[in-house]
Amino acid sequence: MAKEGTAITEETEHMIEKNGIKEQESVLSAVDSKEMRAVVLTGFGGLNKLRVTKKAMPEPQEGEVKIRVKACGLNFLDLMVRQGNIDNPPKTPLVPGFECAGIVEAMGENTKGFEIGDRVMAFVNYNAWAEVVCTPLDFVYKIPDDMTFPEAAAFSMNFVAAYMMLFEVANLREGMSVLVHSAGGGVGQAVAQLCSTVPSITVFGTASSFKHEAIKTSVTHLFDRNVDYVQEVKKISPEGVDIVLDCLCGENTGKGLGLLKPLGTYILYGSSNMVTGETKSFFSFAKSWWQVEKVNPIKLFEENKVIAGFSLLNLLFKQGRASAVKTVMQKLISLYDQKKIRPLVDSLWALEEVKEAMQRIHDRGNIGKLILDVEKSPTPLMANDSTETSEAGEEEEEQEGDSDNKERTPFIP
Amino acid sequence: MAKEGTAITEETEHMIEKNGIKEQESVLSAVDSKEMRAVVLTGFGGLNKLRVTKKAMPEPQEGEVKIRVKACGLNFLDLMVRQGNIDNPPKTPLVPGFECAGIVEAMGENTKGFEIGDRVMAFVNYNAWAEVVCTPLDFVYKIPDDMTFPEAAAFSMNFVAAYMMLFEVANLREGMSVLVHSAGGGVGQAVAQLCSTVPSITVFGTASSFKHEAIKTSVTHLFDRNVDYVQEVKKISPEGVDIVLDCLCGENTGKGLGLLKPLGTYILYGSSNMVTGETKSFFSFAKSWWQVEKVNPIKLFEENKVIAGFSLLNLLFKQGRASAVKTVMQKLISLYDQKKIRPLVDSLWALEEVKEAMQRIHDRGNIGKLILDVEKSPTPLMANDSTETSEAGEEEEEQEGDSDNKERTPFIP
């Protein structure tokens, strides 16, 4: 299962284009260049649509911050973008990526609150997977001194989404129960950690069985992702759960609503089930729209239930709620400083390894977040490896219960 | 408009059945009787289906409290029950009414926590409109010493519903905005008062114009119930509101969802638009089910919106959430003790005047809650009248802005 996560494919060895930088030294010497390296999606489709190439160095406009990127977050959503499997996809070619961490290198006019050299994390409306990013001031946040760049790139989107869903859309309080799918993923682990900050929360999670040993301390009840989770939850809690967080969509919406206790909240925050293969799936966005069962408000009235949708990207980039997100980020950084939460990094990948990284998240091989490490050379390095001991093509399927996995057990205070 | 609210109809004068008590003294002497007076709905339909008649005195079962009723709440829902315009209507004849206040007269076995003589308010699954009620312990709450019985009967359902919608289903916080329909009604006034306990809440309300003078201090922006409230709200707040509380249903669901800001919550808590005439309307319950526009979860995802339904009766009587309601009641009584909230009583009516009271709520003539005062003789008495100065048939249409209306201005601390 994890094979694709670490195997350098033949294709990758040739994906660095003629103008690409092949040596890490060259990368570092590019700081003063007029060009930068970036991952480019040449068209919607499979992994072969991804390239690392040089692009013109962006310069900050008024109100923007220019960031020398150290690490970028890779999300399931990036797969859907690659397939064009989103509403109103932008035009290609484009540079994917919505979040990064790095160092402030310059500021546009009328840009207060940051200084050159500040360590920051940022949301970007595409273009994050590059050596340099410019993004509006409102989407940039200083990071704590003891937070590494990969941790910061793993922190922003997953924790903000998890926090807003649990505490703003739903109303998580003492004694409640939460069901989260993909409990081993970035959002799943953020949800589990945030639940641990509230007394007596029961977390039900689904995840591939091979992840269970690694994440079992973060989740109260773990089910294999292929079992009938509705039956499993009901065996333990016949009256259901208070909050269902669903990133799968499709038939899981009806299942999730059915599992809710009275006054419970179902939140749809993704539709990863729409991605079934490497290329754009039969279940395209337009089709999924019609296949999701619609909900009658009177049924919600009779059953005392709540259904919500949550899209952090729309909130930030279409709906102008950056200030609400900033407030949430301040709360999250406070929780981080109190050591109550800590982002879980699955693995670090060079820009040139983006295909392998995407394949790993597609195969749900990750435990925690996949990070593109901009300064990393194209050799796989697992999160807790102190040296480059991993080898290309290394099999990881036997990891269950071994010490390497234990090292990756999420930090739960 | 308010004419029906105070006019004793010819029919009423004859509605007291042969066995009924005609003199107030007789009512009071009935305390030790084996019988009691009650309002009976003989079949679903118009006002002519209501009778006051004698029924066998109920005795408390195990876990039940027997209450000598002093005052009962009349809700719009009671009209829908009368018309049979609810899901799975019970069999007739039945005694309507879901809430009352009075004095504990006896207790069934294994019923701890109350003593004979305690002043209480209670929820009842029908049967509230009677001289004596028995209801499970879990639905009975002691009332503060300075809360009158009519206030208590006006308190329970409206304030619990308003509180749970604002603070548990939605997540009302400083600076938010709320739209409430029927702002002059019992729930509307409870919503307005509870909003005033949170800093900087903007309340948009719709109400008949003749109520505006009386309730204007409780609501930030008032609109006539016949204007296009969507346009009016958008003139003041182009980006919409955070919470929409809808008791109208039908096309208002789509309008309400459309008015929501990102992360906003629409709550459907009634469907009073389904009641259009005295008898069961063309828009029956089954029809309304299909006429309400269904909601696509993916649209909620894209727009970052929340849709919820809230039915306090289902929560209490079908879904076993009495303990959650008890917790809310404790918070509400604390707010009452701090003089931050106070139920607003529109008018008091004898049991024999239930038709006129129902007509008044049907015509939306009330400002605050209509109360059936069990010990009252059938002469109309307005809430703030100290003596029985009102006369049957008195016209009230000229009340706008007069001192009587000012006396009924809701208490906002």
Side-chain angles (χ1 to χ4, degrees):
Chain A
M1 189 73 127
K3 181 181 173 187
E4 299 82 348
T6 49
I8 291 286
T9 63
E10 190 178 351
E11 190 180 8
T12 299
E13 295 184 83
H14 300 289
M15 75 181 279
I16 305 173
E17 294 194 341
K18 284 173 186 168
N19 292 333
I21 309 294
K22 288 177 185 165
E23 302 291 326
Q24 192 165 4
E25 293 75 45
S26 310
V27 176
L28 296 173
S29 71
V31 169
D32 296 323
S33 165
K34 296 287 178 199
E35 292 185 318
M36 62 161 190
R37 278 158 68 237
V39 175
V40 173
L41 182 69
T42 58
F44 297 115
L47 293 170
N48 62 347
K49 301 291 186 184
L50 292 162
R51 300 275 182 277
V52 174
T53 185
K54 274 194 171 178
K55 285 185 65 86
M57 178 70 66
E59 292 306 327
Q61 306 299 302
E62 184 175 346
E64 286 189 344
V65 178
K66 179 181 179 184
I67 300 165
R68 174 67 50 175
V69 178
K70 301 294 183 181
C72 316
L74 196 158
N75 296 292
F76 202 95
L77 180 65
D78 297 310
L79 272 73
M80 300 182 71
V81 168
R82 194 196 75 212
Q83 298 184 350
N85 207 352
I86 54 171
D87 192 27
N88 293 317
K91 286 186 179 166
T92 54
L94 60 81
V95 175
F98 298 105
E99 60 182 340
C100 64
I103 294 171
V104 173
E105 191 166 285
M107 276 153 328
E109 288 178 31
N110 298 315
T111 312
K112 288 179 182 168
F114 292 96
E115 290 179 13
I116 291 169
D118 278 348
R119 301 172 74 248
V120 296
M121 54 189 163
F123 292 116
V124 202
N125 195 9
Y126 295 97
N127 294 311
W129 294 353
E131 288 180 311
V132 176
V133 155
C134 292
T135 196
L137 182 70
D138 284 347
F139 303 142
V140 185
Y141 320 89
K142 285 179 191 166
I143 62 178
D145 290 343
D146 61 344
M147 186 185 271
T148 66
F149 289 118
E151 279 182 331
F155 189 76
S156 39
M157 189 168 294
N158 291 167
F159 274 90
V160 168
Y163 187 97
M164 294 189 90
M165 289 193 289
L166 290 173
F167 296 106
E168 304 206 345
V169 179
N171 200 345
L172 185 69
R173 284 159 294 163
E174 184 170 350
M176 283 187 167
S177 53
V178 178
L179 168 67
V180 61
H181 296 295
S182 303
V187 174
Q189 281 298 300
V191 165
Q193 291 187 29
L194 286 169
C195 284
S196 76
T197 68
V198 178
S200 308
I201 302 297
T202 302
V203 180
F204 296 89
T206 69
S208 305
S209 287
F210 79 91
K211 300 183 186 181
H212 287 201
E213 182 64 26
I215 65 173
K216 67 181 182 186
T217 59
S218 64
V219 179
T220 321
H221 302 286
L222 262 176
F223 311 123
D224 185 82
R225 61 184 287 260
N226 297 314
V227 304
D228 179 351
Y229 62 86
V230 173
Q231 290 309 312
E232 296 299 316
V233 169
K234 286 197 168 166
K235 276 184 208 165
I236 296 164
S237 176
E239 63 171 344
V241 296
D242 293 297
I243 300 172
V244 172
L245 303 176
D246 181 18
C247 58
L248 305 174
C249 201
E251 64 177 7
N252 293 282
T253 298
K255 285 184 184 177
L257 275 172
L259 261 182
L260 287 183
K261 288 183 190 176
L263 300 180
T265 303
Y266 165 92
I267 307 177
L268 179 69
Y269 71 96
S271 50
S272 62
N273 267 4
M274 301 304 153
V275 176
T276 53
E278 188 193 304
T279 56
K280 187 165 180 168
S281 82
F282 177 74
F283 296 93
S284 67
F285 185 83
K287 197 161 181 73
S288 72
W289 176 277
W290 296 109
Q291 292 208 339
V292 173
E293 197 181 346
K294 290 170 199 62
V295 177
N296 190 320
I298 296 180
K299 186 174 164 71
L300 298 176
F301 167 74
E302 289 175 349
E303 297 184 351
N304 277 299
K305 289 181 177 178
V306 184
I307 176 167
F310 183 79
S311 161
L312 181 55
L313 294 184
N314 284 357
L315 205 63
L316 284 168
F317 302 125
K318 287 188 183 171
Q319 296 160 358
R321 303 290 278 189
S323 68
V325 171
K326 186 157 271 182
T327 303
V328 168
M329 192 63 99
Q330 286 161 352
K331 292 177 185 169
L332 286 168
I333 287 173
S334 170
L335 287 171
Y336 178 86
D337 287 340
Q338 297 168 52
K339 300 197 188 307
K340 290 186 174 173
I341 57 174
R342 193 175 76 183
L344 179 68
V345 174
D346 172 73
S347 48
L348 306 178
W349 306 79
L351 293 185
E352 290 76 10
E353 292 165 340
V354 65
K355 295 183 188 183
E356 289 77 12
M358 275 207 168
Q359 189 64 47
R360 181 168 170 85
I361 202 169
H362 176 277
D363 295 337
R364 295 173 166 83
N366 58 304
I367 297 174
K369 187 91 164 196
L370 286 94
I371 297 295
L372 299 179
D373 179 346
V374 177
E375 294 178 351
K376 182 178 176 294
S377 58
T379 310
L381 179 69
M382 300 312 289
N384 287 287
D385 289 350
S386 53
T387 55
E388 298 181 36
T389 52
S390 295
E391 288 175 28
E394 183 182 28
E395 290 283 344
E396 295 205 328
E397 285 182 344
E398 305 304 316
Q399 282 189 348
E400 290 184 41
D402 71 9
S403 62
D404 188 50
N405 252 337
K406 275 183 188 145
E407 282 182 328
R408 278 193 258 129
T409 301
F411 172 81
I412 302 292
Chain B
M1 191 71 128
K3 182 182 172 187
E4 300 83 347
T6 49
I8 291 286
T9 63
E10 188 179 354
E11 188 180 8
T12 299
E13 295 182 83
H14 300 289
M15 75 180 278
I16 304 173
E17 293 194 342
K18 284 173 188 170
N19 292 332
I21 310 294
K22 288 174 185 167
E23 301 294 324
Q24 192 164 4
E25 293 75 48
S26 309
V27 176
L28 295 172
S29 72
V31 169
D32 295 324
S33 167
K34 296 288 179 199
E35 292 187 318
M36 63 160 190
R37 278 157 68 237
V39 174
V40 172
L41 182 69
T42 58
F44 298 115
L47 293 170
N48 62 346
K49 300 292 187 184
L50 292 162
R51 300 275 182 279
V52 175
T53 186
K54 274 195 171 178
K55 285 185 65 87
M57 177 69 68
E59 293 304 328
Q61 306 298 303
E62 184 174 345
E64 286 190 344
V65 178
K66 180 182 179 184
I67 300 165
R68 174 67 50 175
V69 177
K70 301 294 182 181
C72 316
L74 197 158
N75 296 291
F76 203 95
L77 180 64
D78 297 310
L79 273 74
M80 302 183 70
V81 168
R82 195 196 74 214
Q83 298 184 350
N85 208 350
I86 54 171
D87 192 28
N88 294 317
K91 287 185 179 167
T92 55
L94 60 81
V95 175
F98 298 106
E99 61 181 339
C100 64
I103 294 171
V104 173
E105 191 166 284
M107 277 153 327
E109 288 179 32
N110 297 315
T111 311
K112 289 181 182 167
F114 292 96
E115 290 179 13
I116 291 169
D118 278 349
R119 301 171 75 248
V120 296
M121 55 190 163
F123 293 115
V124 201
N125 195 9
Y126 295 97
N127 294 311
W129 294 355
E131 289 181 308
V132 176
V133 155
C134 293
T135 195
L137 182 70
D138 285 347
F139 303 143
V140 185
Y141 319 89
K142 286 179 190 164
I143 62 179
D145 290 343
D146 62 343
M147 185 184 271
T148 66
F149 290 119
E151 280 182 330
F155 190 77
S156 38
M157 190 169 293
N158 290 167
F159 275 89
V160 168
Y163 187 97
M164 295 189 90
M165 289 194 288
L166 290 173
F167 297 106
E168 303 207 345
V169 179
N171 200 343
L172 184 69
R173 283 159 296 164
E174 184 169 351
M176 284 186 168
S177 53
V178 178
L179 169 66
V180 62
H181 298 294
S182 303
V187 173
Q189 282 297 300
V191 165
Q193 290 188 29
L194 286 169
C195 284
S196 77
T197 67
V198 178
S200 307
I201 302 297
T202 302
V203 181
F204 297 90
T206 70
S208 304
S209 287
F210 78 91
K211 300 184 187 181
H212 287 200
E213 182 63 25
I215 65 173
K216 67 182 182 186
T217 59
S218 64
V219 179
T220 321
H221 304 286
L222 262 176
F223 311 122
D224 185 83
R225 60 184 288 259
N226 297 313
V227 304
D228 180 352
Y229 62 86
V230 173
Q231 291 308 311
E232 296 300 316
V233 169
K234 286 196 169 166
K235 277 183 205 164
I236 296 164
S237 176
E239 62 171 346
V241 296
D242 293 297
I243 299 173
V244 172
L245 303 176
D246 180 17
C247 58
L248 305 173
C249 201
E251 64 177 7
N252 293 282
T253 298
K255 285 184 181 177
L257 274 172
L259 262 181
L260 288 183
K261 288 183 190 176
L263 299 181
T265 302
Y266 165 91
I267 307 178
L268 178 69
Y269 71 96
S271 49
S272 61
N273 267 3
M274 302 304 153
V275 176
T276 54
E278 188 194 304
T279 55
K280 187 164 181 168
S281 82
F282 177 73
F283 296 93
S284 66
F285 185 85
K287 198 162 179 74
S288 71
W289 176 278
W290 296 109
Q291 292 207 341
V292 174
E293 196 181 346
K294 291 169 198 64
V295 177
N296 190 319
I298 295 180
K299 186 174 165 69
L300 299 175
F301 167 74
E302 288 176 349
E303 297 184 350
N304 277 301
K305 288 183 177 176
V306 184
I307 177 168
F310 183 79
S311 162
L312 180 56
L313 294 184
N314 284 357
L315 206 62
L316 284 168
F317 302 126
K318 287 187 184 171
Q319 295 159 1
R321 303 289 278 189
S323 67
V325 171
K326 186 157 271 182
T327 304
V328 168
M329 192 63 97
Q330 287 162 352
K331 291 176 185 170
L332 286 168
I333 287 174
S334 169
L335 288 170
Y336 178 86
D337 287 340
Q338 297 168 53
K339 301 197 188 306
K340 290 186 173 172
I341 57 175
R342 193 176 77 183
L344 180 68
V345 174
D346 173 71
S347 47
L348 306 178
W349 306 80
L351 293 185
E352 290 75 10
E353 293 165 340
V354 65
K355 295 182 189 183
E356 290 76 14
M358 274 205 168
Q359 189 65 46
R360 181 168 170 85
I361 202 169
H362 176 277
D363 295 338
R364 295 173 166 83
N366 59 304
I367 297 174
K369 187 91 166 197
L370 286 96
I371 298 294
L372 299 179
D373 179 346
V374 177
E375 294 178 352
K376 183 178 174 295
S377 58
T379 311
L381 179 69
M382 299 312 289
N384 287 287
D385 290 348
S386 54
T387 56
E388 299 182 33
T389 52
S390 296
E391 289 174 27
E394 183 183 29
E395 290 282 343
E396 295 206 329
E397 284 182 344
E398 304 307 314
Q399 282 190 345
E400 291 183 41
D402 70 8
S403 62
D404 188 52
N405 251 336
K406 276 182 186 145
E407 282 182 326
R408 279 193 258 128
T409 300
F411 173 83
I412 300 292

